[in-house]
Amino acid sequence: MAKPQEFAIKESVAELVSLRKKQPNFRFEKRIIWLIELQGKKFKTRKKLCEYLSISTRTQARWTKEYITNGIQGLLSDQPKNKKSKIITEQIHNGLSARVNSSDNGFLGYWDAKQWVCSEYKVEVKYHLLRQYLIKHFKTKLKSPRKSHYKKDAM
């Protein structure tokens, strides 16, 4: 098993304790407790510290990386970590936009969009990825017609 990454904690215990009291929720408070316990060296191993805080070792590794790169503010920020899609490029996005917003040549369903992307751009996209992309970026949804009464007059 690899040795955990060593790093210096810049804040004093008193600063961390006062910062802990200001936290709006327990998620961020737990991160401050983690730093306090690391500085106090109460636990012999990091695994024991993880068990005490009820977190996984992977979570602790992520917190360590975040603290080293961005400091205490990075550890306590809740910024979304959205990454751009590597599969759906700008060109595919523009093509989807034109086709979704077209009134005469729209998609019949998400499966149709999947087949269209595959035939036009030669890119294999999974159905659920494309479906979520279309919902997120273009606010699409499947439309199903209402049931009609069987005795209704034909117009």
Side-chain angles (χ1 to χ4, degrees):
M1 191 165 155
K3 183 179 174 189
Q5 190 173 9
E6 294 294 324
F7 63 98
I9 300 171
K10 300 170 191 123
E11 294 79 21
S12 68
V13 175
E15 286 179 79
L16 292 173
V17 169
S18 68
L19 193 59
R20 178 184 172 195
K21 292 176 184 176
K22 297 175 185 173
Q23 294 312 307
N25 57 31
F26 188 65
R27 272 190 7 211
F28 298 133
E29 190 176 343
K30 194 182 264 193
R31 296 173 190 190
I32 301 292
I33 294 169
W34 170 71
L35 285 174
I36 292 169
E37 295 299 334
L38 274 178
Q39 250 185 349
K41 297 185 171 105
K42 179 179 167 185
F43 297 95
K44 291 184 180 179
T45 63
R46 289 203 177 178
K47 188 164 183 143
K48 296 277 186 194
L49 178 58
C50 287
E51 290 170 4
Y52 172 73
L53 292 174
S54 301
I55 60 172
S56 70
T57 52
R58 179 66 186 117
T59 300
Q60 184 173 233
R62 275 196 325 270
W63 288 356
T64 302
K65 182 181 176 190
E66 188 67 35
Y67 183 77
I68 290 170
T69 56
N70 300 325
I72 192 78
Q73 294 305 322
L75 189 64
L76 298 177
S77 71
D78 201 15
Q79 298 296 324
K81 309 220 175 6
N82 292 338
K83 294 181 181 177
K84 285 187 97 176
S85 175
K86 293 179 183 176
I87 298 171
I88 300 176
T89 61
E90 188 73 31
Q91 183 183 13
I92 296 173
H93 176 85
N94 293 336
L96 285 170
S97 175
R99 186 82 191 267
V100 165
N101 296 323
S102 171
S103 60
D104 58 329
N105 192 17
F107 293 120
L108 298 175
Y110 296 119
W111 57 270
D112 188 30
K114 180 184 182 302
Q115 289 175 347
W116 181 80
V117 168
C118 187
S119 65
E120 283 288 317
Y121 298 101
K122 310 293 187 257
V123 176
E124 189 65 37
V125 182
K126 292 186 177 179
Y127 174 85
H128 293 290
L129 178 102
L130 186 63
R131 178 182 166 274
Q132 287 192 332
Y133 189 85
L134 288 170
I135 290 170
K136 180 180 177 185
H137 292 280
F138 304 112
K139 311 281 188 269
T140 62
K141 59 183 174 182
L142 291 176
K143 294 184 178 179
S144 56
R146 283 182 163 180
K147 291 182 179 176
S148 181
H149 197 272
Y150 69 97
K151 289 184 177 178
K152 181 179 173 185
D153 293 333
M155 289 190 197

